[in-house]
PDB file of all heavy atoms in Angstrom:
ATOM      1  N   SER F 183     -21.944  89.387  91.466  1.00 84.00           N
ATOM      2  CA  SER F 183     -23.217  88.828  91.920  1.00 84.00           C
ATOM      3  C   SER F 183     -23.060  87.479  92.613  1.00 84.00           C
ATOM      4  O   SER F 183     -23.891  87.107  93.445  1.00 84.00           O
ATOM      5  CB  SER F 183     -24.182  88.690  90.742  1.00 84.00           C
ATOM      6  OG  SER F 183     -23.698  87.740  89.805  1.00 84.00           O
ATOM      7  N   CYS F 184     -21.996  86.764  92.285  1.00 83.00           N
ATOM      8  CA  CYS F 184     -21.805  85.448  92.896  1.00 83.00           C
ATOM      9  C   CYS F 184     -20.563  85.395  93.786  1.00 83.00           C
ATOM     10  O   CYS F 184     -20.117  84.318  94.176  1.00 83.00           O
ATOM     11  CB  CYS F 184     -21.725  84.369  91.819  1.00 83.00           C
ATOM     12  SG  CYS F 184     -20.393  84.626  90.620  1.00 83.00           S
ATOM     13  N   HIS F 185     -19.995  86.544  94.104  1.00 84.00           N
ATOM     14  CA  HIS F 185     -18.792  86.551  94.932  1.00 84.00           C
ATOM     15  C   HIS F 185     -19.176  86.370  96.402  1.00 84.00           C
ATOM     16  O   HIS F 185     -20.126  86.993  96.889  1.00 84.00           O
ATOM     17  CB  HIS F 185     -18.031  87.868  94.751  1.00 84.00           C
ATOM     18  CG  HIS F 185     -16.638  87.816  95.289  1.00 84.00           C
ATOM     19  ND1 HIS F 185     -16.359  87.850  96.639  1.00 84.00           N
ATOM     20  CD2 HIS F 185     -15.437  87.714  94.657  1.00 84.00           C
ATOM     21  CE1 HIS F 185     -15.055  87.786  96.820  1.00 84.00           C
ATOM     22  NE2 HIS F 185     -14.472  87.698  95.631  1.00 84.00           N
ATOM     23  N   PRO F 186     -18.446  85.527  97.147  1.00 82.00           N
ATOM     24  CA  PRO F 186     -18.782  85.275  98.561  1.00 82.00           C
ATOM     25  C   PRO F 186     -18.809  86.533  99.428  1.00 82.00           C
ATOM     26  O   PRO F 186     -19.631  86.635 100.336  1.00 82.00           O
ATOM     27  CB  PRO F 186     -17.662  84.321  99.019  1.00 82.00           C
ATOM     28  CG  PRO F 186     -17.182  83.668  97.762  1.00 82.00           C
ATOM     29  CD  PRO F 186     -17.327  84.684  96.679  1.00 82.00           C
ATOM     30  N   LEU F 187     -17.933  87.514  99.158  1.00 78.00           N
ATOM     31  CA  LEU F 187     -17.919  88.728  99.966  1.00 78.00           C
ATOM     32  C   LEU F 187     -19.154  89.581  99.720  1.00 78.00           C
ATOM     33  O   LEU F 187     -19.649  90.253 100.628  1.00 78.00           O
ATOM     34  CB  LEU F 187     -16.647  89.532  99.695  1.00 78.00           C
ATOM     35  CG  LEU F 187     -15.357  88.904 100.217  1.00 78.00           C
ATOM     36  CD1 LEU F 187     -14.147  89.729  99.812  1.00 78.00           C
ATOM     37  CD2 LEU F 187     -15.407  88.741 101.732  1.00 78.00           C
ATOM     38  N   MET F 188     -19.667  89.568  98.492  1.00 76.00           N
ATOM     39  CA  MET F 188     -20.923  90.264  98.227  1.00 76.00           C
ATOM     40  C   MET F 188     -22.076  89.537  98.912  1.00 76.00           C
ATOM     41  O   MET F 188     -22.999  90.174  99.451  1.00 76.00           O
ATOM     42  CB  MET F 188     -21.180  90.354  96.725  1.00 76.00           C
ATOM     43  CG  MET F 188     -20.402  91.444  96.023  1.00 76.00           C
ATOM     44  SD  MET F 188     -20.844  93.122  96.598  1.00 76.00           S
ATOM     45  CE  MET F 188     -22.539  93.244  96.031  1.00 76.00           C
ATOM     46  N   ALA F 189     -22.021  88.228  98.916  1.00 69.00           N
ATOM     47  CA  ALA F 189     -23.058  87.447  99.599  1.00 69.00           C
ATOM     48  C   ALA F 189     -23.056  87.760 101.089  1.00 69.00           C
ATOM     49  O   ALA F 189     -24.119  87.895 101.717  1.00 69.00           O
ATOM     50  CB  ALA F 189     -22.842  85.966  99.360  1.00 69.00           C
ATOM     51  N   ARG F 190     -21.865  87.905 101.656  1.00 72.00           N
ATOM     52  CA  ARG F 190     -21.781  88.232 103.073  1.00 72.00           C
ATOM     53  C   ARG F 190     -22.356  89.614 103.356  1.00 72.00           C
ATOM     54  O   ARG F 190     -22.990  89.841 104.395  1.00 72.00           O
ATOM     55  CB  ARG F 190     -20.324  88.171 103.548  1.00 72.00           C
ATOM     56  CG  ARG F 190     -20.207  88.236 105.068  1.00 72.00           C
ATOM     57  CD  ARG F 190     -18.790  88.047 105.526  1.00 72.00           C
ATOM     58  NE  ARG F 190     -17.995  89.256 105.339  1.00 72.00           N
ATOM     59  CZ  ARG F 190     -16.716  89.360 105.703  1.00 72.00           C
ATOM     60  NH1 ARG F 190     -16.097  88.319 106.221  1.00 72.00           N
ATOM     61  NH2 ARG F 190     -16.060  90.476 105.523  1.00 72.00           N
ATOM     62  N   THR F 191     -22.161  90.540 102.425  1.00 71.00           N
ATOM     63  CA  THR F 191     -22.731  91.874 102.572  1.00 71.00           C
ATOM     64  C   THR F 191     -24.243  91.803 102.676  1.00 71.00           C
ATOM     65  O   THR F 191     -24.869  92.484 103.503  1.00 71.00           O
ATOM     66  CB  THR F 191     -22.328  92.747 101.371  1.00 71.00           C
ATOM     67  OG1 THR F 191     -20.906  92.912 101.366  1.00 71.00           O
ATOM     68  CG2 THR F 191     -22.978  94.120 101.441  1.00 71.00           C
ATOM     69  N   VAL F 192     -24.840  90.980 101.826  1.00 61.00           N
ATOM     70  CA  VAL F 192     -26.296  90.815 101.851  1.00 61.00           C
ATOM     71  C   VAL F 192     -26.744  90.199 103.165  1.00 61.00           C
ATOM     72  O   VAL F 192     -27.721  90.641 103.792  1.00 61.00           O
ATOM     73  CB  VAL F 192     -26.765  89.955 100.663  1.00 61.00           C
ATOM     74  CG1 VAL F 192     -28.256  89.672 100.766  1.00 61.00           C
ATOM     75  CG2 VAL F 192     -26.443  90.646  99.344  1.00 61.00           C
ATOM     76  N   VAL F 193     -26.034  89.177 103.607  1.00 53.00           N
ATOM     77  CA  VAL F 193     -26.379  88.505 104.864  1.00 53.00           C
ATOM     78  C   VAL F 193     -26.278  89.473 106.039  1.00 53.00           C
ATOM     79  O   VAL F 193     -27.097  89.441 106.973  1.00 53.00           O
ATOM     80  CB  VAL F 193     -25.457  87.292 105.087  1.00 53.00           C
ATOM     81  CG1 VAL F 193     -25.650  86.721 106.498  1.00 53.00           C
ATOM     82  CG2 VAL F 193     -25.743  86.215 104.048  1.00 53.00           C
ATOM     83  N   ASP F 194     -25.288  90.353 105.999  1.00 65.00           N
ATOM     84  CA  ASP F 194     -25.100  91.334 107.073  1.00 65.00           C
ATOM     85  C   ASP F 194     -26.165  92.429 107.049  1.00 65.00           C
ATOM     86  O   ASP F 194     -26.215  93.278 107.951  1.00 65.00           O
ATOM     87  CB  ASP F 194     -23.717  91.982 106.968  1.00 65.00           C
ATOM     88  CG  ASP F 194     -22.596  91.010 107.322  1.00 65.00           C
ATOM     89  OD1 ASP F 194     -22.897  89.974 107.945  1.00 65.00           O
ATOM     90  OD2 ASP F 194     -21.439  91.296 106.968  1.00 65.00           O
ATOM     91  N   GLY F 195     -26.992  92.457 106.015  1.00 63.00           N
ATOM     92  CA  GLY F 195     -28.068  93.435 105.934  1.00 63.00           C
ATOM     93  C   GLY F 195     -27.693  94.741 105.264  1.00 63.00           C
ATOM     94  O   GLY F 195     -28.467  95.706 105.285  1.00 63.00           O
ATOM     95  N   THR F 196     -26.502  94.796 104.654  1.00 72.00           N
ATOM     96  CA  THR F 196     -26.085  96.012 103.962  1.00 72.00           C
ATOM     97  C   THR F 196     -26.768  96.094 102.598  1.00 72.00           C
ATOM     98  O   THR F 196     -26.700  95.160 101.804  1.00 72.00           O
ATOM     99  CB  THR F 196     -24.552  96.027 103.763  1.00 72.00           C
ATOM    100  OG1 THR F 196     -23.925  95.944 105.042  1.00 72.00           O
ATOM    101  CG2 THR F 196     -24.109  97.305 103.061  1.00 72.00           C
ATOM    102  N   VAL F 197     -27.414  97.222 102.343  1.00 78.00           N
ATOM    103  CA  VAL F 197     -28.060  97.441 101.050  1.00 78.00           C
ATOM    104  C   VAL F 197     -27.055  98.081 100.098  1.00 78.00           C
ATOM    105  O   VAL F 197     -26.457  99.112 100.421  1.00 78.00           O
ATOM    106  CB  VAL F 197     -29.299  98.348 101.197  1.00 78.00           C
ATOM    107  CG1 VAL F 197     -29.919  98.634  99.833  1.00 78.00           C
ATOM    108  CG2 VAL F 197     -30.313  97.705 102.122  1.00 78.00           C
ATOM    109  N   VAL F 198     -26.840  97.464  98.957  1.00 86.00           N
ATOM    110  CA  VAL F 198     -25.913  97.999  97.945  1.00 86.00           C
ATOM    111  C   VAL F 198     -26.738  98.405  96.724  1.00 86.00           C
ATOM    112  O   VAL F 198     -27.379  97.571  96.086  1.00 86.00           O
ATOM    113  CB  VAL F 198     -24.852  96.950  97.546  1.00 86.00           C
ATOM    114  CG1 VAL F 198     -23.946  97.515  96.460  1.00 86.00           C
ATOM    115  CG2 VAL F 198     -24.032  96.542  98.767  1.00 86.00           C
ATOM    116  N   LEU F 199     -26.714  99.689  96.417  1.00 91.00           N
ATOM    117  CA  LEU F 199     -27.505 100.217  95.317  1.00 91.00           C
ATOM    118  C   LEU F 199     -26.690 100.258  94.030  1.00 91.00           C
ATOM    119  O   LEU F 199     -25.465 100.092  94.030  1.00 91.00           O
ATOM    120  CB  LEU F 199     -28.013 101.613  95.673  1.00 91.00           C
ATOM    121  CG  LEU F 199     -28.913 101.651  96.922  1.00 91.00           C
ATOM    122  CD1 LEU F 199     -29.219 103.086  97.313  1.00 91.00           C
ATOM    123  CD2 LEU F 199     -30.189 100.872  96.693  1.00 91.00           C
ATOM    124  N   ALA F 200     -27.376 100.506  92.924  1.00 90.00           N
ATOM    125  CA  ALA F 200     -26.740 100.410  91.611  1.00 90.00           C
ATOM    126  C   ALA F 200     -25.741 101.527  91.353  1.00 90.00           C
ATOM    127  O   ALA F 200     -24.800 101.352  90.572  1.00 90.00           O
ATOM    128  CB  ALA F 200     -27.805 100.408  90.518  1.00 90.00           C
ATOM    129  N   SER F 201     -25.922 102.685  91.989  1.00 93.00           N
ATOM    130  CA  SER F 201     -25.053 103.834  91.712  1.00 93.00           C
ATOM    131  C   SER F 201     -25.202 104.862  92.821  1.00 93.00           C
ATOM    132  O   SER F 201     -26.103 104.759  93.674  1.00 93.00           O
ATOM    133  CB  SER F 201     -25.438 104.478  90.371  1.00 93.00           C
ATOM    134  OG  SER F 201     -26.750 105.038  90.461  1.00 93.00           O
ATOM    135  N   ARG F 202     -24.328 105.870  92.799  1.00 93.00           N
ATOM    136  CA  ARG F 202     -24.459 106.962  93.766  1.00 93.00           C
ATOM    137  C   ARG F 202     -25.753 107.717  93.524  1.00 93.00           C
ATOM    138  O   ARG F 202     -26.388 108.206  94.462  1.00 93.00           O
ATOM    139  CB  ARG F 202     -23.267 107.911  93.668  1.00 93.00           C
ATOM    140  CG  ARG F 202     -23.267 108.973  94.782  1.00 93.00           C
ATOM    141  CD  ARG F 202     -22.114 109.944  94.639  1.00 93.00           C
ATOM    142  NE  ARG F 202     -22.026 110.856  95.765  1.00 93.00           N
ATOM    143  CZ  ARG F 202     -22.745 111.961  95.898  1.00 93.00           C
ATOM    144  NH1 ARG F 202     -23.652 112.290  94.978  1.00 93.00           N
ATOM    145  NH2 ARG F 202     -22.594 112.748  96.964  1.00 93.00           N
ATOM    146  N   ARG F 203     -26.144 107.845  92.280  1.00 94.00           N
ATOM    147  CA  ARG F 203     -27.405 108.515  91.971  1.00 94.00           C
ATOM    148  C   ARG F 203     -28.570 107.785  92.628  1.00 94.00           C
ATOM    149  O   ARG F 203     -29.500 108.410  93.164  1.00 94.00           O
ATOM    150  CB  ARG F 203     -27.600 108.553  90.456  1.00 94.00           C
ATOM    151  CG  ARG F 203     -28.884 109.208  89.969  1.00 94.00           C
ATOM    152  CD  ARG F 203     -28.865 110.695  90.194  1.00 94.00           C
ATOM    153  NE  ARG F 203     -29.591 111.090  91.387  1.00 94.00           N
ATOM    154  CZ  ARG F 203     -29.566 112.305  91.910  1.00 94.00           C
ATOM    155  NH1 ARG F 203     -28.820 113.250  91.376  1.00 94.00           N
ATOM    156  NH2 ARG F 203     -30.264 112.594  92.987  1.00 94.00           N
ATOM    157  N   ALA F 204     -28.522 106.465  92.605  1.00 95.00           N
ATOM    158  CA  ALA F 204     -29.574 105.676  93.243  1.00 95.00           C
ATOM    159  C   ALA F 204     -29.593 105.912  94.746  1.00 95.00           C
ATOM    160  O   ALA F 204     -30.657 105.948  95.367  1.00 95.00           O
ATOM    161  CB  ALA F 204     -29.383 104.200  92.932  1.00 95.00           C
ATOM    162  N   LEU F 205     -28.395 106.069  95.346  1.00 94.00           N
ATOM    163  CA  LEU F 205     -28.328 106.365  96.775  1.00 94.00           C
ATOM    164  C   LEU F 205     -28.945 107.729  97.063  1.00 94.00           C
ATOM    165  O   LEU F 205     -29.739 107.884  98.001  1.00 94.00           O
ATOM    166  CB  LEU F 205     -26.875 106.332  97.246  1.00 94.00           C
ATOM    167  CG  LEU F 205     -26.632 106.671  98.718  1.00 94.00           C
ATOM    168  CD1 LEU F 205     -27.340 105.669  99.627  1.00 94.00           C
ATOM    169  CD2 LEU F 205     -25.139 106.705  99.029  1.00 94.00           C
ATOM    170  N   ALA F 206     -28.600 108.730  96.257  1.00 95.00           N
ATOM    171  CA  ALA F 206     -29.181 110.060  96.434  1.00 95.00           C
ATOM    172  C   ALA F 206     -30.697 110.030  96.269  1.00 95.00           C
ATOM    173  O   ALA F 206     -31.431 110.745  96.965  1.00 95.00           O
ATOM    174  CB  ALA F 206     -28.557 111.038  95.444  1.00 95.00           C
ATOM    175  N   ASP F 207     -31.173 109.184  95.373  1.00 95.00           N
ATOM    176  CA  ASP F 207     -32.612 109.103  95.119  1.00 95.00           C
ATOM    177  C   ASP F 207     -33.381 108.538  96.315  1.00 95.00           C
ATOM    178  O   ASP F 207     -34.598 108.730  96.408  1.00 95.00           O
ATOM    179  CB  ASP F 207     -32.886 108.244  93.881  1.00 95.00           C
ATOM    180  CG  ASP F 207     -32.547 108.965  92.582  1.00 95.00           C
ATOM    181  OD1 ASP F 207     -32.373 110.203  92.620  1.00 95.00           O
ATOM    182  OD2 ASP F 207     -32.444 108.292  91.543  1.00 95.00           O
ATOM    183  N   THR F 208     -32.676 107.838  97.227  1.00 94.00           N
ATOM    184  CA  THR F 208     -33.373 107.332  98.412  1.00 94.00           C
ATOM    185  C   THR F 208     -33.803 108.468  99.331  1.00 94.00           C
ATOM    186  O   THR F 208     -34.602 108.257 100.251  1.00 94.00           O
ATOM    187  CB  THR F 208     -32.488 106.356  99.214  1.00 94.00           C
ATOM    188  OG1 THR F 208     -31.344 107.052  99.752  1.00 94.00           O
ATOM    189  CG2 THR F 208     -32.024 105.198  98.340  1.00 94.00           C
ATOM    190  N   LEU F 209     -33.280 109.672  99.101  1.00 96.00           N
ATOM    191  CA  LEU F 209     -33.659 110.840  99.904  1.00 96.00           C
ATOM    192  C   LEU F 209     -34.767 111.652  99.248  1.00 96.00           C
ATOM    193  O   LEU F 209     -35.177 112.685  99.786  1.00 96.00           O
ATOM    194  CB  LEU F 209     -32.433 111.732 100.146  1.00 96.00           C
ATOM    195  CG  LEU F 209     -31.227 111.049 100.789  1.00 96.00           C
ATOM    196  CD1 LEU F 209     -30.134 112.069 101.073  1.00 96.00           C
ATOM    197  CD2 LEU F 209     -31.639 110.329 102.062  1.00 96.00           C
ATOM    198  N   VAL F 210     -35.225 111.212  98.108  1.00 94.00           N
ATOM    199  CA  VAL F 210     -36.311 111.905  97.392  1.00 94.00           C
ATOM    200  C   VAL F 210     -37.617 111.219  97.751  1.00 94.00           C
ATOM    201  O   VAL F 210     -37.814 110.037  97.466  1.00 94.00           O
ATOM    202  CB  VAL F 210     -36.092 111.863  95.873  1.00 94.00           C
ATOM    203  CG1 VAL F 210     -37.250 112.555  95.159  1.00 94.00           C
ATOM    204  CG2 VAL F 210     -34.760 112.515  95.509  1.00 94.00           C
ATOM    205  N   GLY F 211     -38.500 111.957  98.399  1.00 90.00           N
ATOM    206  CA  GLY F 211     -39.744 111.368  98.860  1.00 90.00           C
ATOM    207  C   GLY F 211     -40.866 111.421  97.849  1.00 90.00           C
ATOM    208  O   GLY F 211     -40.741 112.014  96.768  1.00 90.00           O
ATOM    209  N   ASP F 212     -41.957 110.817  98.219  1.00 92.00           N
ATOM    210  CA  ASP F 212     -43.156 110.829  97.399  1.00 92.00           C
ATOM    211  C   ASP F 212     -43.766 112.231  97.399  1.00 92.00           C
ATOM    212  O   ASP F 212     -43.886 112.868  98.453  1.00 92.00           O
ATOM    213  CB  ASP F 212     -44.157 109.815  97.969  1.00 92.00           C
ATOM    214  CG  ASP F 212     -45.476 109.830  97.230  1.00 92.00           C
ATOM    215  OD1 ASP F 212     -45.510 109.326  96.102  1.00 92.00           O
ATOM    216  OD2 ASP F 212     -46.454 110.358  97.787  1.00 92.00           O
ATOM    217  N   ALA F 213     -44.136 112.714  96.241  1.00 95.00           N
ATOM    218  CA  ALA F 213     -44.660 114.076  96.106  1.00 95.00           C
ATOM    219  C   ALA F 213     -45.913 114.276  96.946  1.00 95.00           C
ATOM    220  O   ALA F 213     -46.141 115.365  97.507  1.00 95.00           O
ATOM    221  CB  ALA F 213     -44.944 114.371  94.637  1.00 95.00           C
ATOM    222  N   THR F 214     -46.728 113.255  97.058  1.00 97.00           N
ATOM    223  CA  THR F 214     -47.953 113.365  97.854  1.00 97.00           C
ATOM    224  C   THR F 214     -47.634 113.563  99.332  1.00 97.00           C
ATOM    225  O   THR F 214     -48.265 114.388 100.015  1.00 97.00           O
ATOM    226  CB  THR F 214     -48.819 112.102  97.676  1.00 97.00           C
ATOM    227  OG1 THR F 214     -49.144 111.948  96.289  1.00 97.00           O
ATOM    228  CG2 THR F 214     -50.099 112.209  98.490  1.00 97.00           C
TER     229      THR F 214
END
């Protein structure tokens, strides 16, 4: 959380999710 390379990732606009499952969940839409 405090590593400079992770900070650079955030600055570059890269979204880092908690897990692969979380990444897969970004493809699950709202039921409505």
Side-chain angles (χ1 to χ4, degrees):
S183 65
C184 58
H185 194 285
L187 290 176
M188 281 297 294
R190 191 175 77 178
T191 296
V192 175
V193 171
D194 290 343
T196 301
V197 177
V198 178
L199 299 172
S201 66
R202 187 182 186 278
R203 179 70 261 170
L205 178 62
D207 285 345
T208 65
L209 305 185
V210 179
D212 176 74
T214 301

